[in-house]
Amino acid sequence: MNDFFSRGSMPEFLRNQRLRGIALFIFALSAAGLILAFMYSWVLGGIGLVAVIICLIFTLNTMNKISADTNRYIADLSFRINRGEQQALIDMPVGVMIFDENDAIEWVNPYLQQYFGDTNVLSHRLSDVAPELDQLIKDNAGQEHPTTVTWGDRQFSMLVQPDVQAVYMMEVTHFAQIQQRYDNERVAIGQVFLDNYDEITQSMTDQDISNLRNYVTNALSQWAQQYGVYLKRLDDDHFFVFLYAQSLKAIEEDKFSILDTIRESTSKQNYPLTLSVGIAYGDANLTKLANQAQSNLDLALGRGGDQVVVRAQDEEARFYGGKTNPMEKRTRVRARMISQALQELMSQSDQIFVQGHQQPDMDSIGACMGIRRIAQMNGKTCYIVLDKHSVHSDVQRLLDSLADYPEISDAIITADEALNRATKQSLLVMVDHSKPSLSISSDLYHRLENRVMIIDHHRRGEEFPENPMLVYIEPYASSTCELIAEMFEYQSQESEPINKIEATAMLTGIFIDTKSFSLRTGSRTFDAASYLRSAGADSVQMQQLMKENVDDFLQRNHLIELVEFVNDGMAVVAGEEDQIYDSVTAAQAADDLLNMSGVDASFVITKRDDGRIGVSARSLGQVNVQIIMEKMGGGGHLSSGATQIADHTIADVKQQLIDILNGQDAAAEDGDEQ
């Protein structure tokens, strides 16, 4: 009985759970019908019994046939699916390779075998028959998505599944070539500007001007032809370039040597001419590209010229050149225009706020006092925004001396007071810096970001106000006080002139920034100093302001004792992790190190009172410290730079600086790519 009801002896249809249920239901229904029929009549019951038996026999045969047909269909379908899978693995255009636990190749389909040629790879380790492919598989093991790899002269989309010890590869060389061609033929737009063309040609004869123009045009045309660049002159000192990304890549690899060619050749003719270039790429919209190219050119000019800025929108800029200090402009045409424009802005404002950078030095505070005086000359109220609790000793002495000048002392307010007084018609003047993050009050900047003027002598960085109303950045200038001192000549002579303390503060700012007129000093620097001296600047009071206390002197000398040398001529000082140094003291230590024999550049790393790590960088001009500081998030001049880094230790920052110095071509050659 057990054998009869065993699964192996059961009728075919009873093995199917659904058919078995239907059969039981029919059996139960038939039994119930027979019982009722016999209860009613034996004759009727007998007839029903015969009918039920016939129906059951027919139903059982039908269900058996249905079950058998279904099983045959499923078996046939399974066979065809398995055969299709096997055929697909063999014929499909995707390479499949399976390994065993010893990394020996167990199976490879014909598609992938063709790339091995006649080499027998089965039962061999891949590292023995194709080491390059073996390394690619190891490098991409466990990736969730396929990656594109190059094997030999072909490119493949590869997916490695270590858990099943399988590798899938599909050749995508053709599509990669299409993508490469698309990338190579993307359009880039640029502008070339001759920085000091107007300055140079003022004193030249017509013949010399024509010769110079022809030389520059020919040199640029040959350069453009060499790299497949479309070049079009727009003006005497302005060119337009149109090129492909492939050409741009080749030019970047050449480090834009055309800058050196033009500069060196014109210098030999006693007409040193430099180029500034802005190039934009990465956008299909030509209007956006052209606007970005203009923005990049403005950035190159704001950094002092003689350099190239290559940048796509929302990407970091790449800098080339910048090997020379900005050339001093011999005319004051721009100073006069800026002065008149500033007067117009002030006349349209109800009040003016002026602020320098955090932890202001004498150049910053002197510039603030100069702007306040210009506002007074134009009949406008001006407030100097200052945090009196974070100033150096020289600025503190200046503030103490303002007790005799209550009109100036009362004009110095805190950032909170400025925010309370500011209106939509107020004007904010940022002096001695152009980065909003460095302002004494970034909140005040954001409050008045649509009514901002910038006056600065540092090279412009990537962080810059979006829509300033007026920008006066002259990297050739010694200081911001020099730029503002020149503006006084174009103010109303009927108004009250600059007073003694203002002139003294501004002259002190120039004196400190030029290291006693020894660095970044031009003829206009002395003109500005002469004007301030004639306006009453007191040299004795200047010496009083610049005096340092004993603690600062000892701290500076202690820092100098910690000097280490990296490479040739690179002096690096790292202060103690638990010792806080004043930023001015660190900068003075960096300046003093330059006086030592064999030091071409100095870097002083100290902890600031705000917890950030500060780096002060100085050089004699042979090393571009600006580029080095920009790599660390800061900026500055070719010979003077700085940065502040948060959430790092002094040891971390020191190692980062050393890594940059060890691999910094720009530090050795003054102007490679940032």
Side-chain angles (χ1 to χ4, degrees), residues 288-337:
K288 291 182 178 180
L289 273 183
N291 293 336
Q292 185 63 50
Q294 180 63 56
S295 176
N296 292 350
L297 177 61
D298 293 340
L299 177 57
L301 293 171
R303 289 164 55 87
D306 188 28
Q307 58 191 280
V308 181
V309 176
V310 180
R311 179 174 57 177
Q313 191 172 15
D314 300 326
E315 291 186 11
E316 290 187 3
R318 300 190 294 276
F319 300 97
Y320 301 88
K323 297 183 178 182
T324 58
N325 273 312
M327 296 182 63
E328 179 186 22
K329 295 181 173 53
R330 291 187 290 270
T331 64
R332 297 185 181 181
V333 176
R334 192 174 183 214
R336 176 175 56 81
M337 294 175 61

Side-chain angles (χ1 to χ4, degrees), residues 17-66:
Q17 184 176 0
R18 293 183 179 180
L19 293 179
R20 187 167 61 246
I22 294 174
L24 291 175
F25 175 76
I26 293 174
F27 176 79
L29 188 63
S30 300
L34 287 174
I35 292 172
L36 291 174
F38 276 110
M39 290 176 63
Y40 183 77
S41 170
W42 286 98
V43 176
L44 184 61
I47 296 172
L49 178 61
V50 173
V52 167
I53 292 173
I54 294 172
C55 290
L56 287 176
I57 293 173
F58 176 77
T59 301
L60 292 175
N61 289 334
T62 303
M63 287 188 174
N64 273 328
K65 185 177 181 181
I66 292 173

Side-chain angles (χ1 to χ4, degrees), residues 93-95 111 115 155-158 168-173 175:
V94 176
Y111 176 86
Y115 297 104
Q155 291 181 291
F156 296 85
S157 178
M158 172 188 287
Y168 308 94
M169 298 176 64
M170 181 173 67
E171 185 179 354
V172 294
T173 304
F175 303 104

Side-chain angles (χ1 to χ4, degrees), residues 318-583:
R318 300 190 294 276
F319 300 97
Y320 301 88
K323 297 183 178 182
T324 58
N325 273 312
M327 296 182 63
E328 179 186 22
K329 295 181 173 53
R330 291 187 290 270
T331 64
R332 297 185 181 181
V333 176
R334 192 174 183 214
R336 176 175 56 81
M337 294 175 61
I338 293 294
S339 181
Q340 293 173 351
L342 177 58
Q343 286 180 283
E344 183 67 22
L345 286 178
M346 287 183 170
S347 67
Q348 299 172 1
S349 305
D350 57 359
Q351 56 188 340
I352 293 94
F353 297 93
V354 57
Q355 66 177 357
H357 52 76
Q358 299 170 11
Q359 295 186 325
D361 53 15
M362 287 301 296
D363 184 39
S364 179
I365 191 66
C368 289
M369 295 175 68
I371 290 296
R372 178 198 164 276
R373 173 52 60 186
I374 292 177
Q376 291 289 102
M377 290 180 171
N378 289 274
K380 292 293 181 179
T381 300
C382 180
Y383 297 101
I384 299 173
V385 183
L386 182 67
D387 180 5
K388 296 182 180 180
H389 301 291
S390 61
V391 296
H392 196 249
S393 57
D394 53 354
V395 176
Q396 185 59 56
R397 279 190 286 271
L398 174 63
L399 296 178
D400 294 341
S401 65
L402 292 179
D404 298 331
Y405 300 88
E407 70 280 5
I408 301 178
S409 180
D410 293 343
I412 300 176
I413 61 176
T414 65
D416 291 337
E417 290 176 320
L419 286 170
N420 292 331
R421 299 187 185 193
T423 68
K424 293 182 179 180
Q425 292 301 314
S426 300
L427 175 68
L428 173 63
V429 183
M430 295 168 55
V431 296
D432 202 31
H433 73 294
S434 60
K435 293 183 177 182
S437 61
L438 296 181
S439 292
I440 287 180
S441 174
S442 56
D443 291 337
L444 181 61
Y445 161 76
H446 291 299
R447 176 78 175 274
L448 301 174
E449 60 183 349
N450 293 321
R451 294 188 57 80
V452 173
M453 177 186 178
I454 298 169
I455 305 177
D456 192 16
H457 70 114
H458 298 99
R459 297 193 185 208
R460 173 178 166 177
E462 291 189 66
E463 182 189 347
F464 197 77
E466 291 186 6
N467 299 302
M469 300 185 72
L470 187 61
V471 176
Y472 189 25
I473 295 180
E474 291 291 2
Y476 73 84
S478 68
S479 57
T480 310
C481 286
E482 175 188 328
L483 296 175
I484 295 176
E486 292 180 340
M487 295 184 185
F488 284 106
E489 181 179 341
Y490 308 105
Q491 302 301 316
S492 173
Q493 302 301 315
E494 298 178 357
S495 55
E496 184 179 353
I498 184 173
N499 61 29
K500 176 180 177 181
I501 191 64
E502 292 166 339
T504 300
M506 295 181 68
L507 185 56
T508 305
I510 296 175
F511 192 82
I512 292 176
D513 269 26
T514 59
K515 308 298 181 290
S516 304
F517 297 102
S518 61
L519 292 176
R520 298 190 302 274
T521 305
S523 60
R524 289 172 62 176
T525 307
F526 290 105
D527 290 342
S530 176
Y531 167 79
L532 295 173
R533 190 72 178 86
S534 65
D538 189 343
S539 58
V540 175
Q541 190 173 15
M542 284 175 54
Q543 295 298 325
Q544 292 291 333
L545 293 176
M546 291 187 294
K547 282 185 176 181
E548 61 179 329
N549 57 46
V550 175
D551 291 338
D552 292 339
F553 178 80
L554 293 176
Q555 276 194 335
R556 186 173 76 249
N557 287 341
H558 174 66
L559 286 173
I560 295 175
E561 290 177 354
L562 302 176
V563 65
E564 302 176 24
F565 284 90
V566 179
N567 298 330
D568 293 332
M570 303 290 185
V572 176
V573 171
E576 297 86 348
E577 295 283 357
D578 56 350
Q579 178 66 44
I580 295 177
Y581 291 90
D582 187 88
S583 59

Side-chain angles (χ1 to χ4, degrees), residues 22 54 198 206 237 267 275 312 340 356 370 453 487 590 593 620 666:
I22 294 174
I54 294 172
D198 290 337
D206 291 343
D237 56 359
S267 295
L275 304 180
Q340 293 173 351
M453 177 186 178
M487 295 184 185
L593 284 170
L620 297 174

Side-chain angles (χ1 to χ4, degrees), residues 660-673:
I660 293 174
L661 295 179
N662 287 334
Q664 173 65 268
D665 292 335
E669 300 176 6
D670 296 337
D672 283 356
E673 175 185 359

